[in-house]
Amino acid sequence: MKTNLFDEVKLGLQQQSISRRGFLKLSGITGGGFVLAATLPSFADELGTLVGSAELNTFVQLSSDGTITIYSARPDMGQGVKTSLPMIVAEEMGAKWDDVFVLQSEVGEEYGGQWVGGSNSIAASFNMMRQMGASAREMLIGAAAETLELPREEFSTNNSEVIHESGRRFTFGQLASLAIKQPLPDEDSLTFKDAEDYTIIGTSVSGVDNLVITTGLAMFGIDTEVPDMLYGAYHKCPAIGGSVVSANLAEIKALPGVKDAFVIEGNGRVDQLMPGIGIIGDSTWAVFNAKQKLKVNWDESNASKDSWRDLVKTASGLKDKRGRNMVVNKGSVDAQFDKKSNKVVEGFYTYPFVAHFCMEPMNCTASYVAGKAGEKDSIEIWVPTQNPASVGPTVAGLYGLENDRIEVHVTRLGGGFGRRFSNEFVCESVELSKRVKRPVKLTWTREDDIRHDYYRVGGFQALKGAINKKGKLVAWDQHFIGMRKDGRAVSGSRFSRNEFPLPNLINARGTSTMLDIATPCGPWRAPGANTHAFVVQSFIHELAHLAGRDHLEFLLEVMGKRQWLNPGNIRSLNTGRAIDVTTLAAKQAGWGKKLPAGRGLGLAFHFSHAAHIAEVAEVSVDKNKKLTVHRVTVAVDVGPIINRSGALSQVKGSIIDGLSTMVGQEITMEAGRIEQSNLHDYPVLRIPAAPEVDVHFIESDNPPTGLGEPGLPPLAPAVGNAIFAATGHRVRTMPLSKEGYSV
Amino acid sequence: MSKYTLSINGESREVEAEPDMPLLWVLRDRLGLVGAKYGCGKGLCGACTVHLDGNPVRSCTLRVADVGDAAVISIEGLATGNGLHPLQEAWIEHDVAQCGYCQTGQIMSAAALLANNPTPNDDDIDAAMAGNYCRCGTYIRIRAAIHSAAKNTQSSVGQPGRSVVSHWVPAQTMEERS
Ligand code: FES
Ligand code: FES
């Protein structure tokens, strides 16, 4: 029997989706997150003016029963913003977290930025969320002060109550209808709580969607169902950019459950609508099954001819040369290399393309409705996206419509990692719906998802460094061999003069060479950082070894004196914070402790996304090159932590994801075709290999910022350095499986 | 198209489907039970895990024609009575999920493990859960949640189902979790 609980929760969810902006009452469950019954309070009509400001009533609503509804405008892809951002609002309001429930907002300018990526949400929204909470608090206090005819300075809020100095108090619910009528506080008059008075920020809160996630009721994009919906698949040329000459469409249309199959010309844009075959059916299986039986003649004259093997060959021919583009050149690098008394080491590093592999493959549901009687066409879209505001304009542009003809609903995302910024799966689903004049849910197969990704770009770096007689680093030469497409460096393939340790050194040269590719690349969890950290932090260890010095001491020396390189800019390295996290991680990991043969500690630091993070990995390597990562110790400075549970989860997840990536993941291509397709040839880390992770936060006065990405980059060099400590073998090529390692 | 009578979460359900259609798509597209997820379609990720006569199976590779009269339990049928399954409680208490997409499959694999082995050690957990991939990397909390559910299952034997209210962990009392 299905349980009562199941039906109740499901009912609540349906009502939420019908009346997303309606007033909904939470019943039975404390702590927010979902809705069991919809009740409209008597003043529902006035809710539009609840706090008198478009901005404020956009985020906070209050009902007479004390329920506080907070809208989360940014999509949740696992980074936890649907919990952490409302925590900030609730904190300033003086709300009790148990009274809060959170709803995903619609898409609209009034919500401010709605995209999610770059570990940016906390940094970008912290102030706005505080203002929303503080503004609501001031209106509640105003209502209480008026009621008691006492000065508002004598009131404060706590635990969903407004409290007078005398001890007299009102619940938020009691004041709801009066608070609505209060004037909107002036933004400049708002004051914010001192951090020491926080009761919600800094605590551990279980994610607001956890109940629906664990009961199978969370609605991801792939779970969308709308009336009259059909199921769709889209098949593109395996060599990116090819177009359709002919296909066995008659055969496909005769397959069970298939309703239609047709060629789509597309507009030739990888980020919009590439040529392909659309298949429509009465189930996902019907169209997946048909897709496997497709036989297509492709015209590949304009398709990608990329070859990873050729890229490797070209790059290795460049390793002893300098790049043509000079990124930085200071001091006397060559003179130091020529000096007889200096020792020199060189290293050529390689990292592959990798796929995003969001657990939820790309998908989108669209309903294209032709306008009747002179009306323009309209389109409704349900999509898991990291970039809600881009969806409408992209589709409107494609079909020559005004943006107001497009309605976009954002679902929960089964992972993002930078993959869900583009809109090609949106455009494909809209096109399918337009063709069949019914709503269509397009689901990509896992094979589509791996073969048509915006990959984390691969690349190469040739490094050379010199150590003087005193064991100091005196010259650094770094040749970055990256990738460009259509004349522009792709995401993750930029080499900046600010890349550590270039700004910290006296004699340093950075040059770059860009190789042309046609394969689409895009942001992938900590773009650029996820490969730079591996190269730079491994090579610094090589230099420390050459100098015969302790890696920790050497790394701290390279960081130099405590300074903020670009004071006031949180995106610039602060060597003081760098030194602090590195020292803390080393100490907590027992740096210098005696370990048995075949076991070693590896250290790495990386600064990215306004986060200073150091990691120490403890690794054993057996005679078959099988690795055991026993423990990773992490020290993090991202300023104050909002949701401790969420922050820990992000760091631990980044460590495991980083290990998964470095051990066996590699995307290769030949003749423009991606050679991997599913988990049998794209191995991922499983639970037995998950290390212990020990996280330490330094909650500095850094403004709070996000943790979705920056925990990942230091992991690969920390493990690589530990392998060296354990075995004396230097890993310069990713993934580790290339050099015979496994977990 | 053939007709099948399936036992799903204790109910008898009639479906029309091609014999080759995997149970996953019957659940999702025919019966509206979308808790089992599509991740790979090849039996390699575990996102689609359901129970067949109590055993964890990958529903993406199980033809509907082969289900027969076996009892299918999906995540939607895991909680019984008025309460959540102890694993669902533990998953919430430990704040396991990140994106959450893999978690229904993880919980179904864990539930089958606990049914056969009420006090698993880490190795038992690793062996039973190795088929379930999590891109978000929640493995550490999955282990911890299974251990704590195992404890609760032991101590709550014979107890009536708990009310829903007790399943939420208030911010104030939630300790720093692993
Ligand atoms: S979808 Fe069934 S195992 Fe991956
Ligand atoms: S929680 Fe995202 S894949 Fe597991």
Side-chain angles (χ1 to χ4, degrees):
Chain A
M1 280 294 290
K2 275 192 292 177
T3 65
N4 294 340
L5 175 76
F6 176 81
D7 287 336
E8 257 182 275
V9 175
K10 186 154 187 176
L11 176 70
L13 282 166
Q14 283 162 351
Q15 285 166 342
Q16 173 183 342
S17 60
I18 292 162
S19 176
R20 223 176 270 255
R21 274 185 163 162
F23 207 86
L24 300 148
K25 180 174 169 287
L26 182 74
S27 97
I29 308 268
T30 56
F34 80 108
V35 177
L36 285 181
T39 53
L40 285 165
S42 55
F43 57 89
D45 286 345
E46 296 173 58
L47 282 173
T49 55
L50 176 56
V51 282
S53 108
E55 273 187 331
L56 270 176
N57 77 19
T58 304
F59 281 90
V60 183
Q61 296 189 345
L62 181 60
S63 85
S64 53
D65 72 355
T67 306
I68 302 159
T69 305
I70 301 178
Y71 282 95
S72 176
R74 293 184 188 264
D76 207 307
M77 52 186 174
Q79 86 284 42
V81 287
K82 194 171 174 183
T83 306
S84 55
L85 293 176
M87 285 172 74
I88 302 166
V89 179
E91 179 70 70
E92 277 303 334
M93 216 177 147
K96 192 155 120 208
W97 182 249
D98 290 355
D99 295 338
V100 171
F101 81 99
V102 179
L103 288 181
Q104 193 70 41
S105 80
E106 292 291 339
V107 181
E109 279 171 19
E110 66 272 29
Y111 296 105
Q114 285 187 278
W115 61 278
V116 282
S119 299
N120 179 60
S121 296
I122 294 290
S125 291
F126 185 76
N127 252 335
M128 189 181 187
M129 295 299 101
R130 284 209 298 183
Q131 286 170 356
M132 296 301 148
S135 187
R137 176 191 69 214
E138 288 312 307
M139 299 175 80
L140 285 158
I141 286 179
E146 242 174 62
T147 306
L148 294 182
E149 296 179 358
L150 288 166
R152 52 189 301 146
E153 293 70 36
E154 295 173 6
F155 291 85
S156 61
T157 61
N158 189 26
N159 248 344
S160 297
E161 287 184 325
V162 180
I163 306 150
H164 182 254
E165 290 171 351
S166 64
R168 295 181 70 180
R169 55 188 67 211
F170 300 97
T171 64
F172 283 2
Q174 288 172 321
L175 293 169
S177 57
L178 293 173
I180 294 167
K181 301 185 181 113
Q182 287 291 309
L184 172 71
D186 177 15
E187 194 182 304
D188 298 328
S189 73
L190 295 175
T191 55
F192 304 113
K193 275 188 178 177
D194 288 334
E196 53 264 34
D197 298 330
Y198 285 164
T199 58
I200 297 174
I201 290 180
T203 63
S204 277
V205 170
S206 189
V208 295
D209 276 347
N210 275 340
L211 184 64
V212 289
I213 286 170
T214 53
T215 49
L217 291 162
M219 290 292 127
F220 295 88
I222 204 168
D223 304 323
T224 303
E225 197 185 325
V226 298
D228 208 28
M229 181 182 90
L230 290 170
Y231 299 83
Y234 202 89
H235 193 74
K236 290 179 282 197
C237 182
I240 294 137
S243 55
V244 184
V245 177
S246 63
N248 58 339
L249 295 180
E251 198 181 310
I252 294 299
K253 284 190 219 179
L255 290 169
V258 173
K259 302 255 184 214
D260 204 354
F262 38 80
V263 174
I264 292 164
E265 301 283 333
N267 69 354
R269 284 186 59 167
V270 177
D271 61 341
Q272 292 186 0
L273 197 58
M274 291 299 282
I277 309 287
I279 306 174
I280 303 291
D282 67 0
S283 72
T284 312
W285 177 78
V287 293
F288 280 12
N289 179 52
K291 203 169 183 299
Q292 283 187 336
K293 306 206 158 76
L294 255 181
K295 292 195 190 76
V296 189
N297 290 321
W298 301 105
D299 172 0
E300 297 185 24
S301 47
N302 290 321
S304 163
K305 309 282 186 297
D306 286 355
S307 155
W308 173 246
R309 275 169 272 271
D310 286 353
L311 290 168
V312 171
K313 217 187 286 167
T314 309
S316 38
L318 291 167
K319 68 174 155 201
D320 300 321
K321 303 200 177 83
R322 245 177 257 149
R324 243 191 283 155
N325 318 316
M326 192 63 76
V327 174
V328 61
N329 191 12
K330 56 183 185 177
S332 49
V333 176
D334 290 321
Q336 293 294 342
F337 286 140
D338 292 343
K339 216 169 182 176
K340 286 271 157 10
S341 56
N342 285 348
K343 288 193 274 192
V344 174
V345 65
E346 290 179 63
F348 184 70
Y349 285 79
T350 304
Y351 36 88
F353 288 75
V354 295
H356 284 84
F357 209 114
C358 297
M359 275 306 277
E360 179 193 17
M362 298 304 110
N363 66 84
C364 181
T365 304
S367 174
Y368 192 111
V369 180
K372 289 194 197 79
E375 237 190 29
K376 287 265 173 51
D377 299 352
S378 64
I379 306 172
E380 195 169 357
I381 294 165
W382 296 262
V383 62
T385 177
Q386 290 182 246
N387 198 2
S390 73
V391 175
T394 304
V395 171
L398 190 62
Y399 293 98
L401 297 169
E402 295 297 324
N403 200 16
D404 63 2
R405 305 302 296 166
I406 323 283
E407 192 180 345
V408 179
H409 311 280
V410 178
T411 66
R412 196 174 170 84
L413 283 62
F417 310 105
R419 176 64 184 88
R420 290 186 149 103
F421 276 106
S422 66
N423 283 311
E424 76 279 26
F425 40 89
V426 177
C427 297
E428 290 165 7
S429 71
V430 174
E431 181 66 19
L432 294 180
S433 170
K434 183 170 189 239
R435 292 285 181 118
V436 297
K437 304 185 171 61
R438 280 173 66 175
V440 173
K441 171 160 72 180
L442 165 73
T443 307
W444 283 19
T445 62
R446 174 56 64 193
E447 288 77 10
D448 294 331
D449 194 81
I450 289 194
R451 291 190 180 133
H452 295 281
D453 200 350
Y454 281 77
Y455 303 93
R456 192 287 298 278
V457 67
F460 315 86
Q461 297 197 35
L463 286 102
K464 188 173 175 184
I467 297 291
N468 71 7
K469 276 197 298 216
K470 292 189 187 132
K472 289 201 186 306
L473 172 58
V474 288
W476 177 279
D477 197 1
Q478 185 171 9
H479 179 189
F480 175 87
I481 303 167
M483 312 282 168
R484 70 180 169 205
K485 181 169 152 67
D486 305 322
R488 286 177 51 193
V490 300
S491 172
S493 209
R494 290 186 194 100
F495 182 36
S496 156
R497 55 184 301 121
N498 294 323
E499 196 63 57
F500 179 81
L502 297 171
N504 307 60
L505 301 175
I506 295 164
N507 305 314
R509 179 165 55 219
T511 62
S512 70
T513 302
M514 300 305 272
L515 309 178
D516 288 300
I517 54 167
T519 303
C521 295
W524 186 103
R525 203 171 202 173
N530 61 47
T531 46
H532 271 300
F534 161 60
V535 173
V536 166
Q537 294 293 319
S538 300
F539 193 65
I540 290 176
H541 188 215
E542 292 201 50
L543 288 160
H545 181 72
L546 180 73
R549 291 177 58 192
D550 174 66
H551 182 199
L552 171 64
E553 179 215 355
F554 187 84
L555 177 59
L556 294 176
E557 183 177 283
V558 173
M559 287 171 178
K561 66 173 197 289
R562 300 178 73 93
Q563 57 171 330
W564 199 350
L565 296 186
N566 186 356
N569 176 2
I570 64 164
R571 309 270 157 195
S572 96
L573 177 72
N574 184 321
T575 54
R577 296 186 199 282
I579 289 164
D580 291 345
V581 292
T582 305
T583 310
L584 179 62
K587 177 169 162 257
Q588 295 293 344
W591 187 256
K593 70 184 172 189
K594 193 98 185 79
L595 291 169
R599 187 159 173 154
L601 288 181
L603 167 70
F605 160 81
H606 194 73
F607 171 73
S608 76
H609 302 86
H612 296 79
I613 301 188
E615 295 173 8
V616 176
E618 186 167 340
V619 178
S620 297
V621 187
D622 76 8
K623 59 178 187 319
N624 299 316
K625 294 185 126 180
K626 188 171 171 343
L627 304 176
T628 306
V629 181
H630 301 280
R631 168 194 290 265
V632 180
T633 307
V634 191
V636 178
D637 180 356
V638 283
I641 299 300
I642 309 296
N643 182 0
R644 192 163 303 273
S645 174
L648 282 167
S649 204
Q650 289 307 306
V651 175
K652 294 180 181 201
S654 297
I655 299 294
I656 287 169
D657 192 24
L659 189 57
S660 182
T661 310
M662 80 179 291
V663 169
Q665 293 178 14
E666 178 182 37
I667 289 289
T668 58
M669 65 290 282
E670 280 311 315
R673 286 168 149 75
I674 304 302
E675 296 183 305
Q676 292 71 28
S677 63
N678 209 321
L679 288 171
H680 64 283
D681 53 16
Y682 194 74
V684 295
L685 197 82
R686 307 298 183 142
I687 195 170
E692 257 182 69
V693 181
D694 181 21
V695 185
H696 303 268
F697 293 113
I698 297 179
E699 295 192 66
S700 70
D701 57 0
N702 208 41
T705 180
L707 262 175
E709 296 164 278
L712 184 139
L715 189 274
V719 171
N721 293 342
I723 292 173
F724 184 83
T727 67
H729 177 250
R730 171 60 55 189
V731 174
R732 295 198 185 101
T733 302
M734 290 284 139
L736 291 172
S737 54
K738 295 293 253 194
E739 301 200 2
Y741 294 97
S742 64
V743 288
Chain B
M1 203 74 98
S2 313
K3 269 213 167 114
Y4 297 94
T5 306
L6 303 174
S7 159
I8 312 278
N9 298 331
E11 282 182 358
S12 173
R13 306 287 300 261
E14 300 257 315
V15 288
E16 278 195 22
E18 293 301 322
D20 285 345
M21 189 188 284
L23 177 62
L24 173 65
W25 300 112
V26 172
L27 293 171
R28 292 180 54 83
D29 294 351
R30 293 279 191 265
L31 297 172
L33 297 171
V34 296
K37 302 299 187 203
Y38 167 69
C40 69
K42 294 260 159 69
L44 300 170
C45 77
C48 63
T49 305
V50 300
H51 293 176
L52 200 67
D53 285 338
N55 298 312
V57 295
R58 311 299 182 216
S59 64
C60 69
T61 52
L62 178 66
R63 295 164 72 239
V64 62
D66 295 338
V67 174
D69 53 10
V72 176
I73 302 290
S74 69
I75 187 73
E76 290 89 346
L78 187 64
T80 50
N82 280 322
L84 296 175
H85 188 281
L87 281 164
Q88 292 167 317
E89 289 188 11
W91 244 247
I92 294 169
E93 188 195 344
H94 287 264
D95 194 18
V96 172
Q98 288 188 31
C99 81
Y101 192 79
C102 73
Q103 299 297 347
T104 50
Q106 305 275 5
I107 291 171
M108 293 309 284
S109 290
L113 166 66
L114 288 191
N116 291 318
N117 177 357
T119 52
N121 61 25
D122 275 351
D123 289 342
D124 300 332
I125 291 173
D126 285 356
M129 303 299 294
N132 288 78
Y133 174 47
C134 175
R135 165 76 214 265
C136 299
T138 61
Y139 298 135
I140 297 167
R141 287 186 177 183
I142 287 174
R143 276 196 204 122
I146 293 174
H147 282 306
S148 82
K151 273 197 214 115
N152 284 340
T153 319
Q154 293 294 85
S155 62
S156 67
V157 172
Q159 301 288 314
R162 297 187 207 175
S163 76
V164 175
V165 179
S166 69
H167 300 300
W168 207 270
V169 184
Q172 290 84 344
T173 60
M174 188 172 166
E175 295 293 303
E176 186 171 310
R177 294 294 166 195
S178 59

